[in-house]
Amino acid sequence: MLSEKRILLIVSGSVAAFKALALTRLLRKAGARVTPVLTSGGARFVTPHALQAIAGEAVHQDLWSLTTEAEIGHIRLARLPDLVVVAPASADLLAKMAHGLADDLATTLLLATDRPVLVAPAMNWAMWAHPATRANMALLRARGVHVVGPEDGAMAEAESGPGRLSEPEQIFAAIESLLAGPRPLAGRHVLVTSGPTHEPIDPVRYIANRSSGRQGHAIAAALAALGARVTLVSGPVTLPDPPGVTAVHVESAREMLAACEAALPADAAICAAAVADWRTASEAGQKLKKVPGEAPPPLALALNPDILATLSAHAARPRLVVGFAAETENVVPNAVAKRQRKGCDWIVANDVSGDVMGGSENAVHLVTAAGVEDWPRLPKEEVARRLAARVAEALS
Ligand code: C5P
């Protein structure tokens, strides 16, 4: 619940601005107070009357409004909320934020505020992919701005791609994880690996596995929701970076190990990635050619570094190291043996013989020094929340 929380909601110009109304409704239902700010672009897509009616508070639009200045003043407006949310955040507004422009009420508030800021970008895929937007986003993230989305999907212009505003429910969840609840992991740094790795064969082909990254990403999000500073080292996945985590994107196991070591020191490491055990012994510099009448080229494999075992034996070993065991048979005995072999503290073991990989649920066993706990079949988000709570307990 968000009762007592005050949110300054900035709505900028995008076809998706209508979603700000649904978001406002969700926030108010959860008990939050919403103070809406509408840019001139935003006002082309939603009316101040609709926003004001749903927010139940006056909409602020004008930096030079004598009424606003007399009643509250834009500096106080900037300092009042627990969180500033920009949804939708247009490419133009994000660029202005990155460069510190303050030429209207919204940008002035964003420059003047000392509160945490969450942005939900919305724009055409080509604008999102543009190097200027990439650079602006990198700058904003580096300054600690929280980001939710954008999603990949259908756009107003009958095109499709990344840039679509996250759904109101997702933006709400990001707000909730930034604002609500106790933060027992505040001040802790947790490293999480997630997703598969891609091991190149040649410039166009690679070895991979079916991991979606859903469980690892959910764990990163759950840890962040408990206040941890999270470094998420992710292999190639189609999931968006969870809100409030620092994501490092890698391809291969060796890159993943390097990124993990660079992220140390950490209080805990959760190795949920499905790291490829093997890579090709050598990567062809050019695409391997199929020659008619000739046998296929042999694929010689080399062993990849074991990231979990490396972190467990590291000079800067995190206090708590957690591994995963994806097994199709003898799940628990294999996990117990794996805990010993890898030198980690806990193993989260699951049976992947069904539709666990890429699916939305997981039935796991938590193997610790104290024994084995069998958890019921749960949504991956709930497995993540329970595991995050246990991590918090172990680090307290
Ligand atoms: O040995 P196995 O692959 O079954 O172990 C799984 C656990 O070890 C997972 O936590 C996985 O993230 C980790 N692992 C790793 N590096 C590897 C292989 C596995 O970190 N090269």
Side-chain angles (χ1 to χ4, degrees), residues 29-323:
K29 239 174 77 187
R33 277 190 66 179
V34 180
T35 308
V37 175
L38 196 55
T39 69
S40 59
R44 303 259 173 183
F45 296 96
V46 290
T47 73
H49 301 86
L51 198 54
Q52 182 157 309
I54 292 178
E57 275 199 36
V59 172
H60 302 280
Q61 288 181 275
D62 183 6
L63 180 59
W64 308 108
S65 153
L66 286 172
T67 330
T68 306
E69 282 311 300
E71 283 172 1
I72 169 160
H74 66 270
I75 296 296
R76 253 194 72 213
L77 199 55
R79 306 283 164 76
L80 217 55
D82 297 288
L83 180 69
V84 179
V85 177
V86 189
S90 66
D92 175 67
L93 186 58
L94 291 165
K96 285 178 171 160
M97 281 174 76
H99 296 280
L101 299 191
D103 62 355
D104 66 0
L105 181 61
T107 49
T108 303
L109 293 173
L110 284 161
L111 196 61
T113 193
D114 57 355
R115 305 280 123 171
V117 177
L118 171 72
V119 298
M123 65 198 74
N124 178 265
W125 64 268
M127 295 168 84
W128 178 248
H130 196 285
T133 307
R134 314 273 6 119
N136 290 335
M137 289 309 297
L139 208 56
L140 291 172
R141 283 183 206 270
R143 285 190 200 135
V145 169
H146 301 280
V147 184
V148 52
E151 305 301 313
D152 201 329
M155 315 210 126
E157 307 82 0
E159 294 184 342
S160 182
R164 193 182 145 93
L165 180 67
S166 294
E167 293 305 318
E169 290 76 15
Q170 281 172 293
I171 303 172
F172 177 81
I175 293 171
E176 214 181 14
S177 76
L178 285 169
L179 283 184
R183 297 168 69 80
L185 286 172
R188 306 286 188 194
H189 178 212
V190 185
L191 169 64
V192 179
T193 71
S194 182
T197 61
H198 285 182
E199 308 297 331
I201 297 170
D202 66 18
V204 299
R205 302 182 180 94
Y206 56 84
I207 302 173
N209 62 62
R210 294 188 192 281
S211 167
S212 65
R214 285 186 69 158
Q215 186 64 80
H217 276 55
I219 291 167
L223 291 161
L226 296 188
R229 179 166 73 83
V230 177
T231 303
L232 171 65
V233 181
S234 172
V237 295
T238 56
L239 300 171
D241 296 340
V245 317
T246 304
V248 183
H249 296 274
V250 299
E251 296 269 328
S252 68
R254 286 186 293 178
E255 287 167 10
M256 188 173 274
L257 174 61
C260 286
E261 289 190 296
L264 295 177
D267 297 286
I270 318 290
C271 295
V275 184
D277 292 314
W278 307 289
R279 64 174 182 276
T280 53
S282 61
E283 184 188 342
Q286 303 297 329
K287 185 185 170 196
L288 297 174
K289 301 301 278 184
K290 178 172 64 181
V291 183
E294 265 188 25
L299 259 192
L301 299 178
L303 202 57
N304 261 335
D306 190 311
I307 299 165
L308 175 61
T310 307
L311 293 176
S312 296
H314 206 279
R317 184 193 198 276
R319 187 138 67 85
L320 179 70
V321 180
V322 183

Side-chain angles (χ1 to χ4, degrees), residues 344-367:
C344 59
D345 301 294
W346 300 349
I347 287 275
V348 180
N350 56 355
D351 187 338
V352 290
S353 54
D355 58 357
V356 162
M357 281 199 142
S360 63
E361 293 194 328
N362 212 350
V364 307
H365 313 270
L366 182 66
V367 180

